[in-house]
Amino acid sequence: MEEIINVEHTYEYEKAMQVETLHPLISVIDFSKAPKIGEHEPFDKKFRYGFYAVFLKDVKCGDLKYGKNTYDYQEGTLVFMAPGQIVGISSDGKPRQMQGWALLFHPDLLPGTSLGRNMKDYSFFSYETNEALHLSEQERQTIIDCLRKIQIELDHAIDKHSKMLIVSNIELLLNYCVRFYDRQFITRSDPNKGILSRFEGLLNTYFQSEKPQIAGLPSVRYCADKLNLSANYFGDLIKKETGQSAQDYIQQKLMEVAKEKMHDANKTVSEVAYELGFKYPQHFTRLFKQKTGHSPMYYRNLN
């Protein structure tokens, strides 16, 4: 089994990068000012971080591609990682000066703060790396300004205001990222519509097959996996495109298929429920009434 190296604390990362530790729970690293990484043996390793990480790749390295689509923003790329996620890092062993920024903060920094209460809302920490945030030059400058404000607080002598100001600036940065991701969903509306069309086709194929009886109702994660997206990114994308959650979209398609099946008077409500993937007919009846305002039998009699 391939070894996974655990890096539990931000100061362990700083030590590896040969930069000074100013705070035990948070670090802002400007890689252009960090020591040049010396020559070493090429490696390909996996790391598990015990902290939140935001990496800004501040280099132009040609077109950025995901699938067959080329991203239009190349000035900077933001990648987000939550504690416990595993990241692979490889090196050709040649000495080089790294470029970009890193914001690292430990979960222990957050209790009792607004960010601690709202951290779960920043769903992009569960996106895959190929679902990164691609910044325009103006957006990149906004992110760097936020990082510099945090750095100023880290350079300042710690007082009773330090934690509040540091965490507030992290929250400001993440709120800008929410705005920029909204922009990214819009500027990539054509590829997104392609995903929506594939989602629709996936559901049609699923309900036309025997999979519901075998595997049950399709979940958001199942659909995301089939479309090669993380569940959170997929859910956020569908919400932006349709105004409803991916789960609601699946249930809407489920009701369309259910209504069609209810027109077949030879099938009982229980048979329709089992064909759609419900383990218990009463669950189907409850959802049908919730979504249509009528019980399945009442709907059949109306039609």
Side-chain angles (χ1 to χ4, degrees):
M1 181 179 294
E2 186 176 4
E3 180 186 8
I4 298 176
I5 302 171
N6 290 304
V7 184
E8 290 296 329
H9 300 283
T10 58
Y11 55 78
E12 294 175 325
Y13 187 95
E14 290 173 313
K15 183 178 180 180
M17 294 303 301
Q18 303 176 43
V19 298
E20 182 184 4
T21 296
L22 299 176
H23 193 290
L25 298 177
I26 179 172
S27 174
V28 173
I29 301 174
D30 179 353
F31 289 118
S32 67
K33 296 180 180 179
K36 188 175 182 179
I37 297 178
E39 188 170 4
H40 48 68
E41 291 295 322
F43 67 83
D44 189 353
K45 298 180 180 179
K46 289 187 176 181
F47 297 84
R48 180 188 289 113
Y49 297 143
F51 44 81
Y52 292 97
V54 181
F55 291 104
L56 171 59
K57 293 175 61 179
D58 201 14
V59 292
K60 292 186 178 182
C61 53
D63 290 338
L64 296 167
K65 292 186 176 181
Y66 173 49
K68 296 181 179 180
N69 300 316
T70 301
Y71 287 122
D72 48 352
Y73 288 81
Q74 302 171 29
E75 295 87 347
T77 303
L78 276 179
V79 176
F80 305 84
M81 288 184 291
Q85 290 182 329
I86 297 173
V87 58
I89 300 177
S90 59
S91 171
D92 57 12
K94 297 179 181 178
R96 58 169 54 84
Q97 180 64 57
M98 295 180 66
Q99 298 292 327
W101 294 73
L103 168 64
L104 317 172
F105 56 100
H106 198 276
D108 288 350
L109 181 70
L110 305 182
T113 67
S114 170
L115 181 57
R117 293 188 293 273
N118 299 322
M119 197 65 208
K120 64 182 182 303
D121 296 333
Y122 299 104
S123 54
F124 41 74
F125 277 98
S126 297
Y127 290 178
E128 299 293 341
T129 54
N130 57 15
E131 299 158 351
L133 176 57
H134 305 283
L135 304 173
S136 68
E137 178 59 27
Q138 184 177 19
E139 292 169 346
R140 172 180 163 276
Q141 286 300 326
T142 298
I143 294 300
I144 292 177
D145 286 345
C146 289
L147 292 170
R148 284 176 173 153
K149 288 178 181 177
I150 298 170
Q151 184 65 59
I152 289 172
E153 283 304 317
L154 292 177
D155 290 334
H156 191 282
I158 295 178
D159 57 28
K160 64 180 182 179
H161 305 288
S162 297
K163 179 176 178 178
M164 183 272 290
L165 289 170
I166 289 171
V167 175
S168 294
N169 278 296
I170 296 175
E171 193 166 17
L172 177 63
L173 183 149
L174 297 181
N175 286 335
Y176 272 119
C177 293
V178 172
R179 168 187 280 181
F180 299 156
Y181 256 118
D182 281 351
R183 183 273 307 155
Q184 181 161 297
F185 283 128
I186 294 171
T187 56
R188 288 173 176 77
S189 59
D190 287 343
N192 291 350
K193 287 183 173 62
I195 292 173
L196 187 60
S197 176
R198 289 164 56 201
F199 181 31
E200 180 78 14
L202 174 66
L203 292 177
N204 287 334
T205 301
Y206 191 93
F207 285 117
Q208 289 168 7
S209 70
E210 295 182 355
K211 285 185 179 179
Q213 297 97 296
I214 300 171
L217 298 171
S219 66
V220 172
R221 182 168 296 279
Y222 168 85
C223 296
D225 288 345
K226 289 296 182 182
L227 297 172
N228 298 315
L229 298 170
S230 69
N232 276 357
Y233 185 90
F234 172 67
D236 291 345
L237 189 153
I238 296 301
K239 181 72 173 179
K240 295 293 187 304
E241 284 294 306
T242 68
Q244 60 185 149
S245 69
Q247 183 62 39
D248 286 340
Y249 195 95
I250 292 172
Q251 290 182 350
Q252 176 181 294
K253 172 58 66 174
L254 175 66
M255 288 300 104
E256 291 176 9
V257 178
K259 288 177 182 178
E260 187 65 30
K261 288 182 177 293
M262 286 306 300
H263 282 284
D264 185 351
N266 294 320
K267 293 180 179 178
T268 65
V269 172
S270 293
E271 287 174 329
V272 171
Y274 292 132
E275 285 183 8
L276 291 171
F278 286 88
K279 290 184 178 180
Y280 306 104
Q282 58 267 35
H283 291 175
F284 166 64
T285 299
R286 187 182 306 121
L287 181 63
F288 192 95
K289 189 171 184 179
Q290 176 188 335
K291 295 295 183 181
T292 69
H294 304 295
S295 69
M297 283 304 300
Y298 187 84
Y299 176 84
R300 171 177 284 174
N301 292 334
L302 282 177
N303 292 273

